[in-house]
Amino acid sequence: MESKYKTQEEKYEYISKQHGGYYRHNFTDHAYLYNLYFPPREVINHLKDNIDNLVLNYPMAQNALAELISDIIDQPTERIVVGNGGAEIIKILSGRLAKKIIVPVPSFNEYANAAPEGQAVEFPLEFPSFQLDVDKFADEAIKVGADMAVVVTPNNPTSMLVPKSDLIRLSEKLRKHNCMLIIDESFLDFANNKEQISLEQDIEKYPNMAILKSMSKAYGICGLRIGYLLTANLDFSKSVRNGVHIWNINGFAEEFLRILPQYKHEFEDSCKIVKADRDVFYKKLCAIDGMHVFKPDANYIYCRLPDTALSGPEVTKRLFIEHNIYIKDSVGKTQPDADRYVRIASRTNEENAKLIEALKNVMYVKG
């Protein structure tokens, strides 16, 4: 891989164009958002021990995969669609099913990117708070004739939750206008009081609602590519299921789902550690003079750089070149002053402390 670049600056230019495979390049990744404390070594060893069968045999198809997710989330299989990561399901929702989709921005770009040209509407979050006014959002969805609306909670990149009561009110307003509400809960396991704020167990009350979850983030399995959609609207789940091919999940992912219920306590404990590390990290970022730090509900933190500091892209590049640490700037997100914002994934306390010192070192022009 070193043949792809000769200098640290060339390495940065190469990495900044990639969408994965970071582990091959020897730097500290504060960009991608996943649980560093799960899965436990026993899970990896189990997959190793079964590698012959997992490589040589066909995996199961959609109905059987839905049964495995059903065992994890305690929902009927007919409500579940299993995807090759959340991205496969997003492609079906935005690219095939929605005639007009509305998405608050800034948010995860793929919902808008996957839609055919002219079929995605971007709704700006309140600025500078980045809060979602669900009543204004509902009004805009109705005005533009959207048949699908998306809310990511906690949002990416802002790491902020949308209150459950707001989402219920939004669903009820949209229902009268035949608009499906997609709630992306991919990062909800890192929020406090998850059981009280998730709509997963209330899904049967809201026929125009679907929950989307990428399991890569919370379960630390980005390479296995598993996501699922849950809805009590069986016509909708059938339409989504019709968009996936028969063997869309590989044997390693299938086996992971099969054994996952055995590790429920380990998973819950891992999320507690992630949250504890994040909370310490948040306090340290808040102590940087002039930095505006948004209180996080996920495992990453959104920051507005001090007005006198370098821009987000400049800070990101210097951090990588001088300290071999990679974060994400917000250029490319639809928002005001995008070049003043950065998103930083929380890692271990030691790595977070190193990033704080490195960030303070690169934020300003050196005299």
Side-chain angles (χ1 to χ4, degrees), residues 207-275:
N208 70 317
M209 182 185 292
I211 306 295
L212 178 72
K213 189 160 187 178
S214 161
M215 297 181 75
S216 302
K217 286 78 173 175
Y219 291 93
I221 50 162
C222 306
L224 291 184
R225 312 304 308 138
I226 314 173
Y228 65 85
L229 178 133
L230 172 72
T231 180
N233 185 328
L234 300 188
D235 288 336
F236 189 73
S237 65
K238 183 177 179 181
S239 295
V240 178
R241 190 174 290 191
N242 286 341
V244 300
H245 62 82
I246 184 169
W247 292 298
N248 67 324
I249 300 296
N250 68 51
F252 290 94
E254 174 199 317
E255 188 63 17
F256 175 83
L257 292 176
R258 188 187 310 283
I259 65 174
L260 184 57
Q262 302 171 32
Y263 296 93
K264 181 179 180 181
H265 294 303
E266 289 87 343
F267 173 66
E268 291 172 350
D269 288 345
S270 75
C271 291
K272 290 177 184 176
I273 300 171
V274 170
K275 289 186 280 187

Side-chain angles (χ1 to χ4, degrees), residues 26 28 49 70 76 114 130 139 147 161-162 173 218 222 245 247 256 258 275 277 281 300 310 314 325 328 333 357 363:
N26 187 33
T28 305
D49 292 343
S70 174
F130 294 111
D139 291 344
D147 60 339
L161 279 168
V162 179
K173 287 192 171 194
C222 306
H245 62 82
W247 292 298
F256 175 83
R258 188 187 310 283
K275 289 186 280 187
D277 290 352
F281 191 31
Y300 49 94
L310 296 170
E314 289 172 310
I325 296 172
K328 286 285 188 180
K333 296 291 184 184
E357 294 308 310
M363 283 199 307

Side-chain angles (χ1 to χ4, degrees), residues 281-293:
F281 191 31
Y282 168 68
K283 290 177 183 177
K284 289 184 177 181
L285 283 168
C286 287
I288 298 176
D289 287 344
M291 182 88 88
H292 182 84
V293 187

Side-chain angles (χ1 to χ4, degrees), residues 156-185:
N156 177 10
T158 65
S159 196
M160 291 189 287
L161 279 168
V162 179
K164 183 176 181 177
S165 57
D166 283 6
L167 293 171
I168 291 170
R169 186 166 79 253
L170 176 60
S171 173
E172 290 170 344
K173 287 192 171 194
L174 296 178
R175 182 180 179 182
K176 299 170 187 174
H177 298 269
N178 298 313
C179 183
M180 281 295 295
L181 174 61
I182 311 299
I183 302 175
D184 188 328
E185 293 190 354

Side-chain angles (χ1 to χ4, degrees), residues 181-215:
L181 174 61
I182 311 299
I183 302 175
D184 188 328
E185 293 190 354
S186 293
F187 296 100
L188 202 66
D189 291 287
F190 302 126
N192 295 321
N193 304 313
K194 174 204 161 187
E195 291 74 18
Q196 282 73 50
I197 55 180
S198 173
L199 279 151
E200 211 167 64
Q201 297 306 317
D202 300 320
I203 196 71
E204 65 183 15
K205 300 176 186 177
Y206 308 106
N208 70 317
M209 182 185 292
I211 306 295
L212 178 72
K213 189 160 187 178
S214 161
M215 297 181 75

Side-chain angles (χ1 to χ4, degrees), residues 157 302 312-313 328-335 338-339 341-343:
Y302 204 48
K328 286 285 188 180
D329 63 61
S330 282
V331 172
K333 296 291 184 184
T334 306
Q335 65 174 87
D339 68 341
Y341 292 82
V342 292
R343 187 197 71 195

